[in-house]
Amino acid sequence: MNVLLYGHNPAPSIVAAQQLDDSHIRLYKRRDEEIVQEDVEFFPFLFLSQPSFLAGYDRKHWLKDLAGSNSFRTLAVFTRWSDLWEAIRIILEKERTTTARRLEGYTDAESLHVRPDPVGQYLMQSGSTLFKGMEFTDLRRMQISVLTGPPSRSARAFDEPILAVALSDTTGWEIVLDAHKSGEAGLLAELTHVIRERDPDVLEGHRIFEHDLAVLLRRSDHHERPLSIGRDGSEARLLQGRWAGQESDHEASLADIAGRHVVDTSLLAEVYDFSRRSLDSLDLGTLATHFGASGRRVQFSGHPAFLWKEDPRRAHTLVLQNVHDIRLISDYLSPSSFYLTQMVPLSYGVVARTGSAVKIESLLLREYLRQKHSVPRPGHGTQTTGGYADVFLTGVFEKIVLADVESLYPSIILQRNIRPATDELGIFSALLRDLVALRLEAKRSMAAAATVAGRAKLDALQSSFKILINSFYGYLAYSRALFNDFAKADEITKTGQALLRKILGQIELHNGQVVEVDTDGVYFIAPDNVEGVEAETLLVDRISSSLPEGIELIPSGRYRKMLSYKKKNYALLGYDGTLTIRGSALVSRSMERFLRRFLRLAVSNLLDENIAGLHTLYATFHSDIAHHRWEALDFCRTETIHDPFSVYEREIGEGKRNPAAAYEVARRAGRIVKPGEKVSYYVTGTSAGVKVSENCRLAEEWDPHFPDENTAYYLGRLEETAAKFEIFFNPEDFRKIFTVDDLFGFDPAGVRIVTRRMVPEEAPPSPDPQETDEFRIWLGES
DNA sequence: AGCTGTGGCAGGGAGG
DNA sequence: CCTCCCTGCCAC
């Protein structure tokens, strides 16, 4: 086991060091021609030099002992105490001789100097190592929800007082602390007491960093009362990023509670939804419903502070419902992070909030440090290619089969033995190979698991393997990755493109008609002689067998009908009647709700070939708009603010970007919007051609008694949206359907949905370096 | 403070 | 009108 020495400075010039006791070391540093000494505490990592120490520890104590461990910078790695001076000598030597690119046998100090963080992450493995052998259910998880308000005119958002705090934990215990009873300061004191008494390992909340902990810390500060909820009695700390509120998507606030892990269910939900795109919103209530929250639920749309005043009993139920929801969401989403923690040298709280590149890198680093091998610096450059996407047919089609290449990029990496050029130890592919094998094993055991709980655990395990496996490719093209390799990333995507083109050829060879292809999957019309699941599966299997070893094409969906519109934009009608719509042109959260509804109904009608329905739909919407038969939520547009106002204004000034309604409307309403916040606005004025950024108001300002939305503009929006259907009809039919001018009634007779064959894009016979004979043989081309 | 990628569509503003 | 460029959102 390694011992790590660290200091406060990124690269202190250490000339000597002396061990004082089990947790302190005295460093002698050169500073301005004179030697100064500094005593450094390196708890808890010395702890790890003798793992046998852990044997007698119970969980409560070692978690406490791991308190506050990530605030130091790195210096060197060595295995035995006797190596300390040797490590320092070599590093000093290194600093003198700039020619040596690598320290034989030791971690390259230059790299550590440039990027101290990764080793900091490595240090965190202390936590994760200790999670080994634990079950998710062993954790004591506490849920928290802080109710604030009501918003006052003068106060900033965070100065709103706390009304109540709800807490619950995995033992079934729950409580609502009420500021009415003992005042806000009393509530905070009670909260501190309760948390330390219940002593949770994990504190869970929904937007817990942005909201609950931020509020608690601010109000504690206001009352000049420490929020001592650390396991060692220390205060919770808010780590404010240096660039907070500058050029980032989210407010950078992270809270650090010694000896406890903080998990934000909204982040977990974001990751969960990223791959599924099935959720309308990531609100607590929406998520809880998605995960099957049962029973009668308290619904309240206004600011909960008002409910607290008007109906305390219901408000009480509402805040408790919040913590129940948090627990439910966490029950589903956090186990995979928990099991990841057993594989990755990062602590649970960190695993739950960091991205996958960090996790891959931590694994690579762990092995490099273990082998005491130098670590490369990130390479410069960019990736030039990505996935292959194309649409061959537009219109409505039947008997659709979706065939996917299983784990396309991981398979290519393994089969083509791709690894970053800087990975001298060859850890990259070995790691991936192991993870794939482990995942298969977990999936096999899952199928054989006897209990529901056992299956759930193995499912969490295999899904955490999956997260890692799928990140290997992305890691290569990540500009800040230590082991990045853009050329190799390109090699992977180009190989993927070649495979897809080969699959397209094979499908056509078997008389299937390809409708759409995107990266690793193909939608095609099954050939006439292929009827039913078995026949379709057989066909896909046959095509799969023509592919290289280890590249598997699998049937992954079959649909009664498909509407193909543009690349990455289509709709599917399942054999069970479910309608799925994909693509930013057809479904988008930024699109006005009435247009989303219109599109969904129109697509549905089109798939049913209900032309009369389509016409009625258009006419109805047209009339509703013209007569203001709607509410602001129907026609407002909701956008997420990504840049701070300062950046927006600067870039406008520099002419780098144009005025945007979302920012302008917030500015005019005097609202301070921070990155990550959403703004809902609608368009005012009287003509369709108005400049939106100058004619818009906040959605909440709309008054149904004096509707001032721009009817001409919104009729125009309807028309623009209807125009998307032009491609599905011939011009006369299109005009006939999408008009309100039908004095003599509408007759759908003779209207046919048009199918169009898209001109295939110039498929470059890619002059890749990959287009070698060896590659062609691998691909199976003669 | 921490941060995976490319490809694609829509909508708006500015300027020709 | 058109084209260019930007942002935002989405597919994979």
Side-chain angles (χ1 to χ4, degrees):
Chain A
M1 172 108 17
N2 291 302
V3 173
L4 294 134
L5 164 71
Y6 52 86
H8 293 89
N9 299 320
S13 308
I14 296 173
V15 292
Q18 176 189 4
Q19 186 179 351
L20 299 178
D21 56 40
D22 273 354
S23 58
H24 291 81
I25 193 165
R26 176 161 298 163
L27 300 175
Y28 296 89
K29 303 198 223 166
R30 194 193 315 280
R31 189 175 293 159
D32 299 324
E33 297 307 311
E34 103 182 65
I35 303 294
V36 295
Q37 73 179 55
E38 182 180 299
D39 290 352
V40 176
E41 187 189 15
F42 58 102
F43 166 88
F45 300 107
L46 175 63
F47 195 53
L48 282 181
S49 66
Q50 295 176 9
S52 57
F53 280 5
L54 298 180
Y57 269 70
D58 68 40
R59 183 161 53 87
K60 203 167 163 172
H61 287 95
W62 58 252
L63 275 174
K64 179 177 172 178
D65 285 348
L66 286 169
S69 52
N70 60 350
S71 58
F72 293 92
R73 301 290 179 183
T74 53
L75 182 61
V77 188
F78 49 95
T79 40
R80 297 180 304 275
W81 273 113
S82 56
D83 291 337
L84 171 63
W85 289 274
E86 178 65 4
I88 291 168
R89 190 192 63 74
I90 289 178
I91 286 165
L92 288 175
E93 179 71 18
K94 166 68 190 163
E95 283 181 354
R96 273 201 302 277
T97 61
T98 50
T99 46
R101 219 184 68 76
R102 165 146 81 92
L103 288 170
E104 194 54 46
Y106 286 90
T107 296
D108 187 336
E110 194 180 302
S111 305
L112 299 187
H113 173 64
V114 174
R115 274 282 310 255
D117 308 24
V119 185
Q121 287 158 5
Y122 175 74
L123 295 179
M124 291 302 286
Q125 102 153 297
S126 51
S128 60
T129 308
L130 299 169
F131 277 86
K132 278 243 155 55
M134 270 180 80
E135 297 297 335
F136 182 64
T137 45
D138 292 339
L139 288 176
R140 179 178 292 178
R141 297 150 45 212
M142 179 181 273
Q143 295 78 38
I144 184 166
S145 175
V146 176
L147 175 62
T148 56
S152 66
R153 268 159 229 91
S154 58
R156 290 174 298 150
F158 277 142
D159 291 334
E160 293 172 9
I162 296 168
L163 297 179
V165 178
L167 297 166
S168 68
D169 72 18
T170 30
T171 65
W173 166 89
E174 62 187 33
I175 194 173
V176 177
L177 305 175
D178 186 344
H180 279 139
K181 295 197 177 112
S182 42
E184 195 182 32
L187 181 150
L188 288 166
E190 202 179 341
L191 178 83
T192 307
H193 175 75
V194 167
I195 291 180
R196 288 176 65 180
E197 178 116 328
R198 305 295 305 179
D199 197 29
D201 302 317
V202 184
L203 208 54
E204 299 173 338
H206 201 67
R207 303 189 212 289
I208 187 169
F209 293 113
E210 289 167 56
H211 178 251
D212 306 83
L213 285 175
V215 168
L216 288 175
L217 283 163
R218 250 182 235 233
R219 297 310 290 170
S220 296
D221 204 39
H222 174 78
H223 291 288
E224 296 181 355
R225 161 187 293 283
L227 192 67
S228 310
I229 54 175
R231 211 151 209 159
D232 55 356
S234 65
E235 275 182 68
R237 292 181 307 138
L238 195 65
L239 311 175
Q240 273 290 350
R242 247 174 303 168
W243 294 287
Q246 283 289 303
E247 327 235 338
S248 140
D249 262 24
H250 299 283
E251 181 97 358
S253 49
L254 281 181
D256 187 44
I257 303 172
R260 308 188 203 282
H261 300 268
V262 182
V263 170
D264 188 340
T265 47
S266 79
L267 291 177
L268 297 179
E270 217 174 272
V271 174
Y272 169 78
D273 189 44
F274 185 78
S275 52
R276 304 167 54 97
R277 295 272 168 215
S278 56
L279 299 168
D280 292 335
S281 110
L282 299 180
D283 291 345
L284 205 43
T286 312
L287 285 166
T289 311
H290 175 80
F291 287 114
S294 52
R296 245 178 313 146
R297 297 180 55 79
V298 182
Q299 303 285 349
F300 189 75
S301 51
H303 195 296
F306 297 121
L307 187 66
W308 192 254
K309 203 168 150 195
E310 287 157 20
D311 189 347
R313 194 184 294 255
R314 250 182 93 213
H316 196 275
T317 317
L318 183 73
V319 285
L320 272 180
Q321 178 176 284
N322 285 350
V323 287
H324 296 158
D325 288 350
I326 291 165
R327 180 168 169 196
L328 175 71
I329 295 163
S330 173
D331 282 343
Y332 276 94
L333 299 184
S334 49
S336 85
S337 292
F338 177 79
Y339 291 109
L340 254 185
T341 308
Q342 299 187 350
M343 310 163 209
V344 171
L346 301 169
S347 77
Y348 178 44
V350 173
V351 167
R353 68 168 188 261
T354 55
S356 39
V358 166
K359 289 163 189 152
I360 301 287
E361 184 148 290
S362 71
L363 288 172
L364 291 169
L365 260 168
R366 175 167 65 190
E367 192 54 19
Y368 269 75
L369 290 175
R370 194 180 70 76
Q371 297 198 29
K372 296 195 286 179
H373 193 282
S374 69
V375 174
R377 278 196 263 188
H380 297 290
T382 46
Q383 194 182 355
T384 58
T385 49
Y388 168 43
D390 214 347
V391 60
F392 295 91
L393 295 169
T394 67
V396 174
F397 307 98
E398 294 181 6
K399 208 166 71 171
I400 298 294
V401 177
L402 167 62
D404 270 356
V405 180
E406 207 177 11
S407 303
L408 177 66
Y409 290 166
S411 303
I412 292 172
I413 294 173
L414 289 180
Q415 297 307 317
R416 305 279 306 149
N417 215 354
I418 293 170
R419 70 181 202 202
T422 46
D423 177 22
E424 292 175 17
L425 297 180
I427 309 298
F428 190 81
S429 12
L431 210 49
L432 181 58
R433 204 172 302 277
D434 285 353
L435 288 168
V436 167
L438 285 167
R439 173 161 186 240
L440 282 178
E441 195 183 303
K443 282 183 91 170
R444 263 199 299 275
S445 336
M446 190 176 115
T451 64
V452 175
R455 238 188 332 273
K457 187 210 150 163
L458 286 162
D459 193 31
L461 195 61
Q462 72 85 16
S463 84
S464 48
F465 283 124
K466 186 180 174 180
I467 294 164
L468 279 182
I469 288 166
N470 287 331
S471 307
F472 273 67
Y473 151 74
Y475 177 80
L476 284 176
Y478 174 36
S479 60
R480 308 186 73 161
L482 293 175
F483 293 90
N484 61 9
D485 189 330
F486 302 102
K488 292 294 165 62
D490 279 337
E491 187 183 335
I492 293 168
T493 50
K494 281 177 182 162
T495 305
Q497 295 202 6
L499 278 168
L500 259 291
R501 287 185 205 278
K502 172 159 173 111
I503 291 165
L504 300 187
Q506 288 289 314
I507 291 172
E508 311 251 294
L509 205 67
H510 288 88
N511 297 317
Q513 278 186 282
V514 177
V515 179
E516 222 244 14
V517 53
D518 191 350
T519 311
D520 62 355
V522 187
Y523 289 96
F524 66 95
I525 306 168
D528 289 341
N529 59 344
V530 172
E531 288 290 348
V533 198
E534 287 82 14
E536 289 170 8
T537 307
L538 213 62
L539 173 61
V540 174
D541 284 350
R542 189 170 312 154
I543 296 169
S544 184
S545 63
S546 74
L547 299 176
E549 178 79 30
I551 306 289
E552 305 288 339
L553 189 73
I554 52 166
S556 55
R558 52 195 304 273
Y559 304 91
R560 195 203 308 270
K561 285 190 181 179
M562 175 175 190
L563 175 131
S564 170
Y565 174 52
K566 286 185 175 176
K567 290 177 188 178
K568 297 176 193 276
N569 285 272
Y570 55 86
L572 299 162
L573 186 64
Y575 284 99
D576 62 353
T578 48
L579 174 65
T580 315
I581 305 182
R582 288 197 197 286
S584 64
L586 302 177
V587 278
S588 171
R589 278 178 214 183
S590 72
M591 199 184 280
E592 297 89 330
R593 192 169 76 178
F594 81 98
L595 290 175
R596 277 201 306 258
R597 195 177 296 156
F598 173 77
L599 272 171
R600 186 166 182 90
L601 292 168
V603 163
S604 175
N605 276 325
L606 207 51
L607 283 166
D608 292 342
E609 285 164 61
N610 180 358
I611 306 304
L614 208 51
H615 171 72
T616 310
L617 182 71
Y618 178 78
T620 309
F621 269 74
H622 195 282
S623 153
D624 285 350
I625 296 167
H627 295 98
H628 306 286
R629 276 196 297 263
W630 56 5
E631 49 179 298
L633 275 180
D634 289 314
F635 56 85
C636 71
R637 206 177 238 277
T638 302
E639 277 175 30
T640 309
I641 299 291
H642 284 107
D643 299 317
F645 237 96
S646 51
V647 173
Y648 168 73
E649 290 191 312
R650 194 188 67 221
E651 292 185 349
I652 294 257
E654 291 168 354
K656 272 174 72 181
R657 75 202 267 176
N658 294 323
Y663 291 86
E664 295 300 324
V665 78
R667 191 221 318 262
R668 280 202 294 277
R671 236 179 82 182
I672 301 152
V673 280
K674 286 174 297 205
E677 274 187 60
K678 290 186 191 309
V679 173
S680 296
Y681 65 90
Y682 67 96
V683 180
T684 56
T686 48
S687 87
V690 294
K691 211 172 273 185
V692 171
S693 60
E694 289 167 11
N695 295 272
C696 51
R697 295 181 73 190
L698 281 177
E700 53 256 43
E701 291 174 340
W702 186 74
D703 181 351
H705 302 297
F706 304 98
D708 64 343
E709 81 276 9
N710 187 333
T711 301
Y713 169 84
Y714 284 110
L715 286 174
R717 290 285 294 141
L718 179 68
E719 220 171 297
E720 280 166 25
T721 306
K724 294 179 181 190
F725 294 88
E726 253 181 305
I727 191 171
F728 301 120
F729 299 97
N730 61 45
E732 312 86 78
D733 285 347
F734 176 79
R735 275 197 298 277
K736 192 165 119 187
I737 297 165
F738 295 101
T739 179
V740 284
D741 195 23
D742 53 356
L743 287 175
F744 309 105
F746 176 76
D747 180 13
V751 174
R752 290 281 167 269
I753 298 173
V754 174
T755 295
R756 293 175 211 268
R757 186 167 293 275
M758 297 291 104
V759 189
E761 267 172 40
E762 265 325 293
S766 49
D768 305 353
Q770 276 78 47
E771 290 286 313
T772 58
D773 289 344
E774 184 272 332
F775 182 76
R776 274 187 285 271
I777 290 165
W778 178 78
L779 197 58
E781 289 172 357
S782 47

